Amino acid sequence: RVLETIATTIREMIGEFAHLGPSKIRIRVNEKIRDINRDEGLSLPEACPTLVNDEFNRFDAWIRKAQIDGPHEADLEFGSVGKLTRPKKINLLWEMDHHVVDLIPILGETPLGRLLSTSALGRFGITVAYDVYSGYPVGFYPSFEGTGLLPALMCVSHAVQEKTYVATRFPHIDGALLGHGKPVKIRYDRAVEFVGRQMALALGRVGIGFELARPSIPDDKPYIERHFGTFTQDFLGWMKGRTGSSPRKRGAADPMAEACIELDDFVALLHEYLITVYARRKQAGLDWETPEERWLRGIRTMTPRLLNPDEQSRIDVLASVEVEVKAGREGIRWGNKFYQCDALQEIRKTSGDHGARRKRMTPLTARVPLRN
């Protein structure tokens, strides 16, 4: 919180002084900290000269650029410096990204394993949505789909809904996944599945905005990148069958020979780790609070935006694409897939000049579920 106050103060003071130095910044920062402690009942320490000097040196290039060309041009050139501070409430901003899991799981004789064993599998990965204010992983989707549109939209679908399934599916876990609700916006990178029209349409159908990070710059979405680093070292580090991110880190291990965890067991362990370990461990970046504590405090000041009844009844529309098609007497043909029903022909009968009476194909917009 003190570092965020220093960053915010530097941005505010750019236009006030021709020569901005650490002493002026420290005076203003400590005034703000005293106000915060008085208004919020906290006990934040005042910023010492060494801390302010270190931050001033880190921001130095951004400050000089901002004084000449303005903060906006400095942001464009130096990216996240002085800009990426945590929001003050839950669900104001999520960060989302894909991560390849360095692990070889056994599909096994479980329902999920039997389903996947009939498919052509890629590398195992996980897509995670992360609430920036609380540090809470609000949603995730493990799959062999790689980095496509389906994992991205399924992760959003999982994140916005209440996770009531945990108590019935994993009764041995002491706790629940608390994250839910629609965010104001989601920040992600410029991967093909994120910048496409279908991603924007899917988020727009449930009233969610988005923000693009710059390509190949992890600092533009630092919180989800840090989460993946912790996940890899803390959760995957002890599992047999892990491949490591490189031959050097794998060492003499033989992942194929050592693989012993079934995929369903991995999913259960993932839930247990996020609920009972990650969400309940104090973090320096959260002022030594836990993500669970921050989330619970956040919902007392801001009720999460829930899906309305219409959106909830059509939750599958999130993981779908919209395509322009033409319907005739034989129905719809799209991408070597066929669809025909009585309701479709009723639409054609009442579609004006493009109806069956004119014997023309009827132009329609179709929504295709990605899971079907």
Side-chain angles (χ1 to χ4, degrees):
R1 186 73 176 271
V2 173
L3 293 174
E4 290 178 3
T5 304
I6 295 174
T8 305
T9 304
I10 290 175
R11 292 183 65 87
E12 293 173 349
M13 297 179 68
I14 283 297
E16 295 185 23
F17 300 96
H19 301 286
L20 182 62
S23 297
K24 296 175 182 177
I25 295 172
R26 185 167 63 88
I27 293 171
R28 183 74 61 85
V29 166
N30 287 336
E31 289 176 355
K32 287 187 175 183
I33 289 176
R34 286 191 289 269
D35 292 340
I36 291 172
N37 289 339
R38 184 184 63 252
D39 297 338
E40 301 183 21
L42 301 178
S43 56
L44 298 178
E46 293 191 1
C48 65
T50 302
L51 178 63
V52 177
N53 283 334
D54 290 344
E55 288 300 292
F56 180 82
N57 292 334
R58 188 170 71 88
F59 282 71
D60 184 49
W62 183 91
I63 292 172
R64 286 186 279 110
K65 178 70 173 177
Q67 288 177 328
I68 297 172
D69 299 323
H72 179 68
E73 292 298 324
D75 287 342
L76 292 177
E77 181 164 343
F78 295 101
S80 64
V81 174
K83 184 174 62 171
L84 289 182
T85 58
R86 291 183 187 268
K88 304 302 180 185
K89 296 181 180 179
I90 62 171
N91 287 349
L92 290 184
L93 175 65
W94 291 357
E95 288 186 353
M96 186 169 72
D97 204 0
H98 304 296
H99 180 68
V100 175
V101 178
D102 299 321
L103 180 76
I104 298 178
I106 299 173
L107 297 181
E109 291 301 316
T110 63
L112 180 60
R114 287 193 295 270
L115 173 65
L116 292 175
S117 63
T118 61
S119 308
L121 302 180
R123 287 198 66 182
F124 186 49
I126 183 170
T127 307
V128 176
Y130 178 95
D131 179 60
V132 176
Y133 165 75
S134 64
Y136 201 94
V138 289
F140 51 87
Y141 184 71
S143 72
F144 289 93
E145 299 286 343
T147 59
L149 182 64
L150 174 60
L153 293 181
M154 289 301 297
C155 177
V156 176
S157 177
H158 179 256
V160 300
Q161 298 184 80
E162 295 185 85
K163 286 71 169 178
T164 55
Y165 70 89
V166 174
T168 55
R169 184 177 175 186
F170 308 114
H172 63 284
I173 297 179
D174 179 21
L177 287 172
L178 304 178
H180 68 282
K182 294 188 294 184
V184 175
K185 62 181 177 181
I186 301 176
R187 178 192 292 147
Y188 41 67
D189 58 29
R190 296 176 182 266
V192 175
E193 63 273 14
F194 289 136
V195 300
R197 173 175 173 268
Q198 296 294 346
M199 186 73 181
L201 287 175
L203 295 179
R205 285 195 286 269
V206 290
I208 299 174
F210 65 90
E211 175 182 290
L212 294 177
R214 293 176 301 166
S216 304
I217 301 181
D219 285 347
D220 269 16
K221 44 181 180 38
Y223 303 106
I224 187 66
E225 299 291 351
R226 188 179 305 159
H227 170 78
F228 283 143
T230 302
F231 172 80
T232 300
Q233 298 178 11
D234 194 32
F235 179 62
L236 296 179
W238 58 274
M239 287 189 177
K240 292 184 177 180
R242 60 184 178 89
T243 63
S245 57
S246 66
R248 177 178 297 178
K249 291 187 176 182
R250 182 171 64 243
D254 187 346
M256 293 292 289
E258 295 175 359
C260 63
I261 183 170
E262 293 190 355
L263 186 57
D264 278 13
D265 293 336
F266 174 84
V267 173
L269 286 173
L270 175 62
H271 281 77
E272 188 168 6
Y273 166 74
L274 293 176
I275 293 172
T276 64
V277 180
Y278 185 85
R280 296 176 181 174
R281 184 167 52 201
K282 297 181 183 297
Q283 298 183 15
L286 299 176
D287 294 334
W288 297 109
E289 290 184 307
T290 69
E292 188 173 79
E293 290 171 344
R294 278 223 171 182
W295 179 268
L296 291 174
R297 189 172 75 244
I299 62 177
R300 289 197 293 267
T301 59
M302 181 178 180
T303 303
R305 295 190 304 160
L306 303 178
L307 298 172
N308 61 43
D310 181 55
E311 292 168 342
Q312 187 64 55
S313 64
R314 298 182 297 108
I315 187 60
D316 62 311
V317 303
L318 266 175
S320 64
V321 296
E322 289 186 356
V323 293
E324 302 299 325
V325 297
K326 291 186 177 181
R329 291 179 179 178
E330 293 77 25
I332 294 173
R333 177 178 177 178
W334 174 79
N336 292 325
K337 297 178 177 60
F338 297 86
Y339 179 81
Q340 172 71 298
C341 70
D342 295 337
L344 174 63
Q345 296 305 322
E346 288 297 324
I347 292 174
R348 296 190 66 237
K349 290 179 182 178
T350 58
S351 59
D353 291 341
H354 299 286
R357 292 185 297 276
R358 296 290 296 272
K359 302 186 183 300
R360 295 179 181 177
M361 300 288 282
T362 305
L364 297 170
T365 300
R367 183 172 293 129
V368 182
L370 291 173
R371 286 182 294 179
N372 187 354

